[in-house]
Amino acid sequence: MANAMARSFLQVASTEEVASPLRVVQIEGLVILKIIKHCKDFAPALVTGQLLGLDVGSVLEVTNCFPFPIREEDEEVEADGANYQLEMMRCLREVNVDNNTVGWYQSTILGSFQTVELIETFMNYQENIRRCVCIIYDPSRSHQGVLALKALKLSDSFMELFRTQNFTGEKLREKNLSWVDIFEEIPIKVSNSALISAFMTELESDMPVIQCDYDRLQLSTNPYMERNLEFLSECMDELAAEQQKLQFYYRSLSRQQGQQQAWLQKRRQENMARKAAGEEPLPEEDPSNPIFKPIQEPSRLESFLVTNQIANYCNQINGVAGQSFSRLYLLKALHAHDK
Amino acid sequence: MAASEHTVLQFTAPSSTSLSAKVHPLVLFNICDCFVRRPDQAERVIGTLLGSVLPDGTVDIRNCYAVPHNESPDLVALDIDYHHNMLVSHQKVNPKEVIVGWFSTGLGVTGASALFHDFYSREVPNPVHLTVDMGFTNGVGTIKAYVSVNLSIGDRPLVAQFQEIPLDLRMVEAEQVGFDILKTTSNDKLPSDLEGMEVTMERLLALIDDVYKYVDDVVEGHVAPDNNIGRFIADTVASLPKLSPLALDKLLNDNLQDQLLLLYLSSIIRTQLSLAEKLNTAAQIL
C-alpha cells in the first residue's frame, strides 16, 4: 500500500526544483593547465575558450575545456565558429568527456575585463544554460608567481535590470544596486583524480625551490606597476568624463524645468486675460514646444563598469605593494646579517 | 643454408642519433584524464601527440588527444576519421602544432602497437611513441618514449625495433602553478599573493637554516668538508651586491616610499570611487 511518505511520480514531477545558489566552482588541474597553456601561447592577444563540466547542487564542476580559434574579421566566421564548436563537442563526447557547457574562459591584460561585451556574452549564455560561469585568467600576473584565476558570475538582480536596459538613477535606487553588485566572484576549488595525483607526487622535483619561488622573489616590479598606473589613469579619465556627462544632464534638466515654469506662468496669465475677454482658454500644455521634450538620462552602466575596473586595479596595486614590502624587508635583513 | 659470407645485422641508424623528446605536463594530465574516462571494455587508451620539432632535433610534445580504437586478438582498428577531425579542429586553434607521434597507456610495447606505429609513420616521417604506465607496475609510473628503428640483414629489411630515446619531462608550467595545487586530490582554495609569498619565504628560510647547519657541522668537524660546496656557498654569499650601508639604506627607503605612495594613491582613488557612486545614484531630481 503506498504510504503517505512515498510521493507519487506525478507529484515529484510537478514540484519545481529550487536551484541552490552557486557556492563554489570546482576545477580540475587539467583545465587549469589547458587554460594557462592557451593564454600563454597567444599572449598578448586575448583568447577565449569553452568550459565543459557538470552542474551539481551548489557546486559547478569544470572537468574539461577547449580553446576557440582566433576570430578573423570575416563573414563566414559565424558559421565556422559554430561548426568548430559542434565538431569539438561531438568528438569529445566520443571519448566520454562531459558534454555539458558550463561557461567560458578568457584571458585578460592586467585585469581590464569589465566591458559591456562580457555582460552581453553572459546574457547570451544565460539564456541557454541555467548556471554558467566565466573564468578570467591573467597571464601577466603569473610572472610574479601568482595564479591569477578568477571565477565570475553576474548577480541575478543585475541581470534582470540589464534585460530592461534601464539604468536610470531611480531604477538603481529602487533595486539598491551599486557597482559592487554587478559581478559576483565565486571561490575556486581545485580537484585532481587520484591517478594524476600519484604521477605528480612522483614527478615532483626534489629541489626544495621551484620556479614559482623564483618568480615570487623577483625584486623588479616596476614595469608591472607602471602599466597598472597607466591603465588606472586612463580609467580615471573615463570616470571623470562620465561624471561630466551626468552633471551636464542635471544642469540641462534644471534649466529645462525653469523654462517650463516660465512658459507655464505666461500661459496662465494669457488664459486669465482671455477669460476676462470671454474667449476659450488655451491648454496648459504644448507638446510641440521644444522645451517640453524630455531629455534622455545617461545610462549609468558605463560608469559602473569603469568603477569596477578601477577597483580591480587598486586591488592589484595593493597586492603587489604588499609583496614588495615583504621582499624589501627580507633584503634589508639579509644585508644586515651580512654586515 | 650455409652462407659463406658473414651477414651482419645492421642497424640503420636514425637520421639524428641524438633524438630526444620533451613532454609538457599538460600531455600527462590529458592522458590520465582520457584513461580514467575510457570505455569499459578497453584496456588501454591510444591517442595522437601534437607538438613541434625544435631546430636541434628534439621533439617538443605539447598537446594530445585520445582516439577511439578497437583492440581484440584478431582485429585492430583505429577511428581514422575521428583522428583527422580532431587534428583539423586543433589546428584551427594552433596551426603550429603538428602530429609528432602517438601515445598508449600500459607498460612496454605490444604487437598491436607496431601496427599503430605503422599507421602513424604514414602521417609523420619519424613518429615518437610514448608509453605511460598507469598500473604503476614497477612501483613507479614509468613514462618512456620510443622511436622505431629498422633492422636489416645485408640489404633485406628484417624487422622494426622500438628503441628508447631519452625523455625530458619539463615540469616548468606545473611548477609555476604550484605542485601543492596539482598534487592533492582536492584543494580548498587557491593561495592568494601574500600566502604564496609566505610559503616561499619559509622555504628560503629552511634552505638558509640548512646551509648554516652544514657550515656549523664542518667547523666542528662532524662532517667532512667538501671544497665544492664550500666554494658554492662562498660564491652565493659574495653575489650579494656590496653597497655601503648608507647607500643600501637610501635604496631600501626609496623603494619603500614608492610603494607607500602607491598604496596611498589607491586608497584615495577608492574614496573617490565611493564619492562618485554617491553622486551617480543618490542625486535626486527635484
Side-chain angles (χ1 to χ4, degrees), chain A residues 176-224:
Chain A
N176 207 10
L177 205 64
S178 84
W179 58 269
V180 278
D181 296 325
I182 300 189
F183 296 108
E184 249 177 61
E185 192 178 324
I186 309 179
I188 297 185
K189 217 167 81 143
V190 179
S191 78
N192 290 305
S193 70
L195 187 60
I196 196 67
S197 149
F199 265 108
M200 280 292 126
T201 319
E202 187 195 315
L203 291 173
E204 183 179 2
S205 61
D206 292 324
M207 301 245 300
V209 177
I210 61 181
Q211 185 65 29
C212 71
D213 292 324
Y214 289 133
D215 288 335
R216 279 184 204 139
L217 289 175
Q218 279 268 20
L219 278 177
S220 132
T221 50
N222 280 347
Y224 179 74

Short mmCIF file of all heavy atoms in Angstrom, two decimals, chain A residues 176-224:
data_model
loop_
_atom_site.label_atom_id
_atom_site.label_comp_id
_atom_site.label_asym_id
_atom_site.label_seq_id
_atom_site.Cartn_x
_atom_site.Cartn_y
_atom_site.Cartn_z
N ASN A 176 18.42 49.00 -5.19
CA ASN A 176 19.53 49.09 -4.26
C ASN A 176 20.79 48.48 -4.84
O ASN A 176 21.49 47.70 -4.21
CB ASN A 176 19.16 48.35 -2.97
CG ASN A 176 19.92 48.93 -1.81
OD1 ASN A 176 20.57 49.96 -1.95
ND2 ASN A 176 19.86 48.26 -0.69
N LEU A 177 21.05 48.83 -6.07
CA LEU A 177 22.16 48.21 -6.79
C LEU A 177 23.29 49.21 -6.90
O LEU A 177 23.09 50.32 -7.34
CB LEU A 177 21.66 47.86 -8.19
CG LEU A 177 22.36 46.74 -8.93
CD1 LEU A 177 22.13 45.46 -8.19
CD2 LEU A 177 21.76 46.63 -10.30
N SER A 178 24.49 48.81 -6.54
CA SER A 178 25.61 49.72 -6.77
C SER A 178 26.67 48.97 -7.55
O SER A 178 26.46 47.83 -7.93
CB SER A 178 26.18 50.20 -5.44
OG SER A 178 27.10 49.25 -4.96
N TRP A 179 27.80 49.58 -7.81
CA TRP A 179 28.73 48.97 -8.74
C TRP A 179 29.35 47.68 -8.23
O TRP A 179 29.83 46.87 -9.00
CB TRP A 179 29.82 49.96 -9.13
CG TRP A 179 30.61 50.50 -8.00
CD1 TRP A 179 30.34 51.63 -7.29
CD2 TRP A 179 31.79 49.96 -7.43
NE1 TRP A 179 31.28 51.83 -6.34
CE2 TRP A 179 32.19 50.83 -6.40
CE3 TRP A 179 32.56 48.84 -7.69
CZ2 TRP A 179 33.31 50.60 -5.64
CZ3 TRP A 179 33.69 48.60 -6.93
CH2 TRP A 179 34.05 49.47 -5.91
N VAL A 180 29.30 47.47 -6.90
CA VAL A 180 29.88 46.21 -6.43
C VAL A 180 28.99 45.02 -6.76
O VAL A 180 29.42 43.89 -6.74
CB VAL A 180 30.11 46.22 -4.91
CG1 VAL A 180 31.39 46.91 -4.61
CG2 VAL A 180 28.98 46.89 -4.20
N ASP A 181 27.71 45.34 -7.04
CA ASP A 181 26.79 44.22 -7.20
C ASP A 181 26.75 43.65 -8.60
O ASP A 181 25.98 42.74 -8.86
CB ASP A 181 25.36 44.68 -6.85
CG ASP A 181 25.26 45.08 -5.41
OD1 ASP A 181 25.96 44.45 -4.60
OD2 ASP A 181 24.51 46.01 -5.12
N ILE A 182 27.50 44.18 -9.50
CA ILE A 182 27.37 43.68 -10.87
C ILE A 182 27.94 42.27 -10.97
O ILE A 182 27.27 41.34 -11.38
CB ILE A 182 28.11 44.58 -11.87
CG1 ILE A 182 27.54 45.97 -11.83
CG2 ILE A 182 27.97 44.00 -13.25
CD1 ILE A 182 28.07 46.83 -12.91
N PHE A 183 29.22 42.14 -10.60
CA PHE A 183 29.86 40.82 -10.73
C PHE A 183 29.99 40.18 -9.37
O PHE A 183 30.31 40.82 -8.39
CB PHE A 183 31.27 40.98 -11.30
CG PHE A 183 31.28 41.51 -12.69
CD1 PHE A 183 31.71 42.79 -12.93
CD2 PHE A 183 30.87 40.73 -13.75
CE1 PHE A 183 31.75 43.29 -14.21
CE2 PHE A 183 30.90 41.22 -15.02
CZ PHE A 183 31.34 42.51 -15.26
N GLU A 184 29.77 38.88 -9.37
CA GLU A 184 29.94 38.15 -8.12
C GLU A 184 31.12 37.22 -8.31
O GLU A 184 31.16 36.46 -9.29
CB GLU A 184 28.72 37.26 -7.91
CG GLU A 184 27.83 37.65 -6.78
CD GLU A 184 26.65 36.72 -6.75
OE1 GLU A 184 26.87 35.51 -6.56
OE2 GLU A 184 25.53 37.20 -6.96
N GLU A 185 32.06 37.26 -7.38
CA GLU A 185 33.19 36.35 -7.54
C GLU A 185 32.94 35.09 -6.74
O GLU A 185 32.52 35.15 -5.59
CB GLU A 185 34.47 37.02 -7.05
CG GLU A 185 35.68 36.23 -7.46
CD GLU A 185 36.96 36.90 -7.05
OE1 GLU A 185 36.98 38.14 -7.10
OE2 GLU A 185 37.88 36.19 -6.66
N ILE A 186 33.19 33.95 -7.35
CA ILE A 186 32.91 32.68 -6.69
C ILE A 186 34.23 32.00 -6.36
O ILE A 186 35.13 31.95 -7.19
CB ILE A 186 32.12 31.78 -7.63
CG1 ILE A 186 30.93 32.56 -8.17
CG2 ILE A 186 31.63 30.55 -6.91
CD1 ILE A 186 30.13 31.77 -9.11
N PRO A 187 34.37 31.46 -5.14
CA PRO A 187 35.63 30.81 -4.79
C PRO A 187 35.87 29.57 -5.64
O PRO A 187 34.95 28.87 -6.04
CB PRO A 187 35.44 30.44 -3.31
CG PRO A 187 34.01 30.53 -3.05
CD PRO A 187 33.43 31.50 -4.02
N ILE A 188 37.15 29.33 -5.90
CA ILE A 188 37.53 28.21 -6.76
C ILE A 188 38.15 27.11 -5.92
O ILE A 188 38.97 27.37 -5.04
CB ILE A 188 38.57 28.66 -7.80
CG1 ILE A 188 37.96 29.71 -8.71
CG2 ILE A 188 39.01 27.49 -8.63
CD1 ILE A 188 38.88 30.11 -9.81
N LYS A 189 37.77 25.90 -6.21
CA LYS A 189 38.37 24.75 -5.53
C LYS A 189 39.04 23.92 -6.62
O LYS A 189 38.50 23.81 -7.72
CB LYS A 189 37.25 23.94 -4.89
CG LYS A 189 37.61 23.33 -3.56
CD LYS A 189 36.37 22.83 -2.87
CE LYS A 189 35.98 21.48 -3.41
NZ LYS A 189 35.46 20.59 -2.39
N VAL A 190 40.18 23.33 -6.32
CA VAL A 190 40.84 22.53 -7.34
C VAL A 190 40.78 21.07 -6.95
O VAL A 190 41.05 20.70 -5.82
CB VAL A 190 42.32 22.95 -7.47
CG1 VAL A 190 43.01 22.09 -8.48
CG2 VAL A 190 42.40 24.39 -7.83
N SER A 191 40.44 20.23 -7.89
CA SER A 191 40.42 18.80 -7.59
C SER A 191 41.20 18.07 -8.67
O SER A 191 41.30 18.53 -9.80
CB SER A 191 38.99 18.30 -7.55
OG SER A 191 38.52 18.13 -8.86
N ASN A 192 41.77 16.95 -8.32
CA ASN A 192 42.52 16.14 -9.28
C ASN A 192 42.17 14.70 -9.08
O ASN A 192 41.88 14.27 -7.97
CB ASN A 192 44.03 16.29 -9.03
CG ASN A 192 44.53 17.64 -9.40
OD1 ASN A 192 44.33 18.09 -10.50
ND2 ASN A 192 45.17 18.31 -8.46
N SER A 193 42.23 13.92 -10.15
CA SER A 193 41.94 12.50 -9.98
C SER A 193 43.11 11.85 -9.23
O SER A 193 44.23 12.34 -9.24
CB SER A 193 41.76 11.84 -11.33
OG SER A 193 42.98 11.79 -12.00
N ALA A 194 42.85 10.71 -8.63
CA ALA A 194 43.89 10.05 -7.83
C ALA A 194 45.08 9.66 -8.69
O ALA A 194 46.23 9.70 -8.25
CB ALA A 194 43.29 8.81 -7.15
N LEU A 195 44.82 9.28 -9.93
CA LEU A 195 45.88 8.82 -10.82
C LEU A 195 46.89 9.93 -11.07
O LEU A 195 48.10 9.76 -10.93
CB LEU A 195 45.24 8.37 -12.13
CG LEU A 195 46.16 7.71 -13.14
CD1 LEU A 195 46.76 6.47 -12.53
CD2 LEU A 195 45.36 7.35 -14.37
N ILE A 196 46.36 11.10 -11.45
CA ILE A 196 47.28 12.19 -11.78
C ILE A 196 47.97 12.67 -10.52
O ILE A 196 49.12 13.11 -10.54
CB ILE A 196 46.51 13.34 -12.49
CG1 ILE A 196 47.52 14.25 -13.16
CG2 ILE A 196 45.69 14.16 -11.56
CD1 ILE A 196 48.25 13.63 -14.27
N SER A 197 47.27 12.56 -9.38
CA SER A 197 47.90 12.97 -8.14
C SER A 197 49.09 12.07 -7.84
O SER A 197 50.15 12.52 -7.40
CB SER A 197 46.85 12.94 -7.04
OG SER A 197 47.43 12.64 -5.83
N ALA A 198 48.94 10.76 -8.14
CA ALA A 198 50.06 9.85 -7.94
C ALA A 198 51.23 10.21 -8.84
O ALA A 198 52.38 10.26 -8.41
CB ALA A 198 49.59 8.42 -8.23
N PHE A 199 50.93 10.52 -10.11
CA PHE A 199 52.00 10.88 -11.03
C PHE A 199 52.73 12.13 -10.58
O PHE A 199 53.95 12.23 -10.62
CB PHE A 199 51.43 11.11 -12.43
CG PHE A 199 51.50 9.90 -13.30
CD1 PHE A 199 50.36 9.20 -13.61
CD2 PHE A 199 52.71 9.46 -13.78
CE1 PHE A 199 50.43 8.08 -14.40
CE2 PHE A 199 52.79 8.34 -14.57
CZ PHE A 199 51.65 7.63 -14.88
N MET A 200 51.94 13.13 -10.17
CA MET A 200 52.55 14.40 -9.80
C MET A 200 53.40 14.25 -8.56
O MET A 200 54.47 14.84 -8.44
CB MET A 200 51.47 15.46 -9.54
CG MET A 200 50.93 16.06 -10.80
SD MET A 200 52.15 17.06 -11.62
CE MET A 200 52.15 16.35 -13.22
N THR A 201 52.92 13.44 -7.61
CA THR A 201 53.71 13.26 -6.41
C THR A 201 55.05 12.65 -6.75
O THR A 201 56.07 12.99 -6.16
CB THR A 201 52.97 12.32 -5.44
OG1 THR A 201 51.59 12.65 -5.45
CG2 THR A 201 53.52 12.44 -4.05
N GLU A 202 55.02 11.76 -7.73
CA GLU A 202 56.26 11.11 -8.09
C GLU A 202 57.17 12.02 -8.89
O GLU A 202 58.38 12.04 -8.70
CB GLU A 202 55.91 9.90 -8.94
CG GLU A 202 57.08 9.03 -9.24
CD GLU A 202 56.69 8.11 -10.34
OE1 GLU A 202 55.58 7.57 -10.22
OE2 GLU A 202 57.45 7.95 -11.30
N LEU A 203 56.56 12.82 -9.76
CA LEU A 203 57.37 13.65 -10.64
C LEU A 203 57.78 14.96 -10.01
O LEU A 203 58.50 15.72 -10.62
CB LEU A 203 56.59 13.96 -11.92
CG LEU A 203 56.38 12.75 -12.80
CD1 LEU A 203 55.46 13.14 -13.92
CD2 LEU A 203 57.70 12.30 -13.37
N GLU A 204 57.31 15.20 -8.79
CA GLU A 204 57.67 16.47 -8.18
C GLU A 204 59.17 16.51 -7.99
O GLU A 204 59.77 15.58 -7.51
CB GLU A 204 56.99 16.58 -6.82
CG GLU A 204 57.25 17.88 -6.13
CD GLU A 204 56.53 17.93 -4.81
OE1 GLU A 204 55.88 16.94 -4.48
OE2 GLU A 204 56.64 18.96 -4.14
N SER A 205 59.77 17.58 -8.41
CA SER A 205 61.22 17.63 -8.38
C SER A 205 61.69 17.65 -6.94
O SER A 205 61.02 18.14 -6.05
CB SER A 205 61.72 18.87 -9.11
OG SER A 205 61.24 20.00 -8.48
N ASP A 206 62.88 17.12 -6.73
CA ASP A 206 63.38 17.04 -5.37
C ASP A 206 63.92 18.36 -4.88
O ASP A 206 64.22 18.50 -3.72
CB ASP A 206 64.51 16.00 -5.30
CG ASP A 206 63.96 14.62 -5.52
OD1 ASP A 206 62.83 14.38 -5.06
OD2 ASP A 206 64.65 13.81 -6.15
N MET A 207 64.03 19.28 -5.80
CA MET A 207 64.58 20.56 -5.39
C MET A 207 63.63 21.24 -4.42
O MET A 207 62.44 21.29 -4.66
CB MET A 207 64.71 21.45 -6.61
CG MET A 207 65.58 20.87 -7.66
SD MET A 207 67.00 21.89 -7.84
CE MET A 207 66.26 23.42 -8.30
N PRO A 208 64.18 21.79 -3.40
CA PRO A 208 63.29 22.46 -2.43
C PRO A 208 62.73 23.77 -2.96
O PRO A 208 61.77 24.29 -2.42
CB PRO A 208 64.19 22.70 -1.22
CG PRO A 208 65.58 22.60 -1.75
CD PRO A 208 65.56 21.72 -2.93
N VAL A 209 63.35 24.30 -4.01
CA VAL A 209 62.85 25.58 -4.51
C VAL A 209 62.37 25.38 -5.93
O VAL A 209 63.07 24.81 -6.74
CB VAL A 209 63.97 26.63 -4.50
CG1 VAL A 209 63.48 27.93 -5.07
CG2 VAL A 209 64.47 26.82 -3.09
N ILE A 210 61.20 25.83 -6.26
CA ILE A 210 60.71 25.62 -7.62
C ILE A 210 60.48 26.95 -8.32
O ILE A 210 60.64 28.02 -7.74
CB ILE A 210 59.40 24.81 -7.62
CG1 ILE A 210 58.33 25.54 -6.85
CG2 ILE A 210 59.64 23.45 -7.01
CD1 ILE A 210 57.04 24.77 -6.82
N GLN A 211 60.10 26.86 -9.56
CA GLN A 211 60.01 28.04 -10.42
C GLN A 211 59.19 29.15 -9.83
O GLN A 211 59.56 30.31 -9.90
CB GLN A 211 59.42 27.62 -11.77
CG GLN A 211 59.39 28.72 -12.79
CD GLN A 211 60.75 29.18 -13.17
OE1 GLN A 211 61.70 28.42 -13.14
NE2 GLN A 211 60.87 30.44 -13.50
N CYS A 212 58.07 28.82 -9.22
CA CYS A 212 57.22 29.91 -8.75
C CYS A 212 57.88 30.66 -7.61
O CYS A 212 57.61 31.84 -7.39
CB CYS A 212 55.83 29.42 -8.38
SG CYS A 212 55.76 28.44 -6.89
N ASP A 213 58.78 29.99 -6.89
CA ASP A 213 59.51 30.71 -5.85
C ASP A 213 60.44 31.74 -6.46
O ASP A 213 60.53 32.87 -6.00
CB ASP A 213 60.34 29.74 -5.00
CG ASP A 213 59.45 28.84 -4.18
OD1 ASP A 213 58.40 29.32 -3.74
OD2 ASP A 213 59.83 27.68 -4.01
N TYR A 214 61.12 31.33 -7.55
CA TYR A 214 62.00 32.28 -8.22
C TYR A 214 61.20 33.48 -8.67
O TYR A 214 61.63 34.63 -8.55
CB TYR A 214 62.67 31.64 -9.43
CG TYR A 214 63.71 30.62 -9.10
CD1 TYR A 214 63.73 29.39 -9.73
CD2 TYR A 214 64.69 30.88 -8.15
CE1 TYR A 214 64.68 28.46 -9.44
CE2 TYR A 214 65.63 29.94 -7.84
CZ TYR A 214 65.63 28.73 -8.49
OH TYR A 214 66.58 27.80 -8.19
N ASP A 215 60.01 33.21 -9.23
CA ASP A 215 59.20 34.32 -9.72
C ASP A 215 58.81 35.25 -8.59
O ASP A 215 58.80 36.46 -8.76
CB ASP A 215 57.92 33.78 -10.39
CG ASP A 215 58.25 33.13 -11.71
OD1 ASP A 215 59.27 33.49 -12.29
OD2 ASP A 215 57.46 32.29 -12.15
N ARG A 216 58.45 34.65 -7.45
CA ARG A 216 57.94 35.50 -6.38
C ARG A 216 59.02 36.37 -5.78
O ARG A 216 58.74 37.43 -5.25
CB ARG A 216 57.34 34.64 -5.27
CG ARG A 216 55.94 34.21 -5.58
CD ARG A 216 55.36 33.46 -4.44
NE ARG A 216 54.31 32.60 -4.92
CZ ARG A 216 54.12 31.37 -4.50
NH1 ARG A 216 54.92 30.85 -3.61
NH2 ARG A 216 53.13 30.66 -4.98
N LEU A 217 60.29 35.86 -5.83
CA LEU A 217 61.33 36.63 -5.16
C LEU A 217 61.98 37.65 -6.08
O LEU A 217 62.96 38.27 -5.73
CB LEU A 217 62.40 35.68 -4.60
CG LEU A 217 61.91 34.87 -3.42
CD1 LEU A 217 62.95 33.87 -2.99
CD2 LEU A 217 61.59 35.79 -2.26
N GLN A 218 61.42 37.83 -7.25
CA GLN A 218 61.94 38.83 -8.17
C GLN A 218 61.77 40.21 -7.58
O GLN A 218 60.70 40.56 -7.14
CB GLN A 218 61.11 38.79 -9.46
CG GLN A 218 61.50 37.71 -10.41
CD GLN A 218 62.51 38.23 -11.40
OE1 GLN A 218 63.16 39.23 -11.13
NE2 GLN A 218 62.64 37.55 -12.51
N LEU A 219 62.85 41.00 -7.62
CA LEU A 219 62.74 42.31 -7.00
C LEU A 219 62.10 43.35 -7.91
O LEU A 219 61.58 44.34 -7.45
CB LEU A 219 64.13 42.81 -6.61
CG LEU A 219 64.64 42.26 -5.30
CD1 LEU A 219 66.03 42.77 -5.06
CD2 LEU A 219 63.73 42.70 -4.18
N SER A 220 62.19 43.14 -9.22
CA SER A 220 61.76 44.21 -10.10
C SER A 220 60.28 44.12 -10.40
O SER A 220 59.84 43.25 -11.14
CB SER A 220 62.59 44.17 -11.37
OG SER A 220 61.76 44.25 -12.47
N THR A 221 59.48 45.01 -9.85
CA THR A 221 58.06 45.02 -10.18
C THR A 221 57.68 46.32 -10.86
O THR A 221 56.52 46.55 -11.15
CB THR A 221 57.21 44.93 -8.91
OG1 THR A 221 57.69 45.90 -8.00
CG2 THR A 221 57.30 43.56 -8.31
N ASN A 222 58.68 47.16 -11.10
CA ASN A 222 58.36 48.49 -11.65
C ASN A 222 57.58 48.47 -12.95
O ASN A 222 56.58 49.16 -13.06
CB ASN A 222 59.64 49.29 -11.84
CG ASN A 222 60.09 49.89 -10.54
OD1 ASN A 222 59.34 49.89 -9.59
ND2 ASN A 222 61.31 50.36 -10.49
N PRO A 223 57.98 47.68 -13.93
CA PRO A 223 57.21 47.73 -15.18
C PRO A 223 55.74 47.39 -14.96
O PRO A 223 54.86 48.00 -15.55
CB PRO A 223 57.88 46.67 -16.06
CG PRO A 223 59.14 46.32 -15.42
CD PRO A 223 59.10 46.76 -14.01
N TYR A 224 55.50 46.39 -14.12
CA TYR A 224 54.12 45.99 -13.89
C TYR A 224 53.32 47.11 -13.25
O TYR A 224 52.19 47.43 -13.65
CB TYR A 224 54.14 44.75 -12.99
CG TYR A 224 52.77 44.24 -12.65
CD1 TYR A 224 52.01 43.57 -13.58
CD2 TYR A 224 52.24 44.44 -11.39
CE1 TYR A 224 50.76 43.11 -13.27
CE2 TYR A 224 50.99 43.98 -11.07
CZ TYR A 224 50.26 43.32 -12.02
OH TYR A 224 49.01 42.88 -11.71
#
